[in-house]
Amino acid sequence: MIRLLTRTAVFAVGLLLGAVSYAQTSQPNAPNQEDKTFVKEAGIGGIAEVELSKLAQKSDNAEVKSFADRMIRDHTAANQELTAIATGLGLEVPKALDAEHERLRQKLQSLHGKAFDEQYMNGMVEDHEKVVKLFQQEERSGHNPELKQFAQKTLPTLQDHQKMALELSHKVSQAAAK
């Protein structure tokens, strides 16, 4: 009798664990690989915008400084929102620059004046081109509704940044050529 009860209990626990495991793997809104890649890339991009823009505080160009202030403000807010969503989904958001952005940060640290402004703005143009495409992709084909909504809500701001970066980059390049 005890043996039968033990077997029944073990069988019931097995069924329960199987059901929990199945429920975790088959959640309809669970982040898929594309969502995970989005969180990683958006996280790295957001950190880079803030860190590189902090360096731009040394610029003598008031427009570059103003642009950098906006990048710090907007991307800090977006980073916090992304982190909250990702944490709720059990995903980890990067907390440091990737190798590419670290190289740019080190290069920017050694530059001054117009050379700094030109390199910083070129980096902002490139980064915003990448991040706008990333957010458009998530908006179109992301799996998790929270991440899709975040991408949709944040995309107009990023497109505005992209436009501003391009315009200011042209101005800075023209000034550096003089």
Side-chain angles (χ1 to χ4, degrees):
M1 179 72 155
I2 292 177
R3 210 181 273 166
L4 180 61
L5 285 174
T6 303
R7 283 186 189 161
T8 304
V10 168
F11 181 72
V13 168
L15 281 176
L16 183 61
L17 289 176
V20 168
S21 175
Y22 176 77
Q24 288 175 344
T25 59
S26 66
Q27 291 175 345
N29 294 330
N32 63 9
Q33 189 56 49
E34 190 174 327
D35 290 329
K36 292 174 185 177
T37 300
F38 170 76
V39 168
K40 179 184 175 194
E41 296 298 320
I44 288 171
I47 291 169
E49 298 303 328
V50 171
E51 292 302 313
L52 299 176
S53 294
K54 285 179 181 177
L55 291 176
Q57 298 303 306
K58 73 180 183 180
S59 176
D60 294 327
N61 184 319
E63 288 181 279
V64 171
K65 275 185 169 178
S66 177
F67 176 82
D69 287 342
R70 171 115 187 244
M71 294 306 101
I72 292 168
R73 187 176 56 250
D74 290 354
H75 284 281
T76 296
N79 291 350
Q80 290 170 344
E81 188 174 349
L82 177 63
T83 299
I85 293 167
T87 301
L89 296 171
L91 301 176
E92 197 169 313
V93 179
K95 292 174 180 41
L97 295 175
D98 60 354
E100 175 189 348
H101 287 101
E102 181 57 37
R103 282 190 298 276
L104 179 56
R105 188 177 70 77
Q106 288 176 2
K107 184 175 183 177
L108 287 172
Q109 284 179 322
S110 68
L111 297 174
H112 302 283
K114 291 178 181 180
F116 173 88
D117 294 342
E118 196 168 16
Q119 187 67 51
Y120 168 71
M121 291 312 305
N122 286 341
M124 292 296 102
V125 169
E126 289 176 20
D127 279 357
H128 281 93
E129 285 175 2
K130 290 177 190 173
V131 81
V132 163
K133 287 178 186 170
L134 176 71
F135 275 67
Q136 287 171 333
Q137 178 68 27
E138 181 65 20
E139 181 184 40
R140 273 193 311 273
S141 59
H143 187 254
N144 180 270
E146 284 180 274
L147 290 171
K148 282 181 79 152
Q149 184 179 9
F150 170 73
Q152 184 177 31
K153 175 184 150 195
T154 308
L155 186 57
T157 302
L158 296 173
Q159 290 169 323
D160 191 32
H161 291 175
Q162 181 182 29
K163 182 181 175 202
M164 291 168 49
L166 199 53
E167 289 171 1
L168 188 51
S169 177
H170 288 308
K171 271 187 181 179
V172 167
S173 293
Q174 288 172 348
K178 291 181 182 178

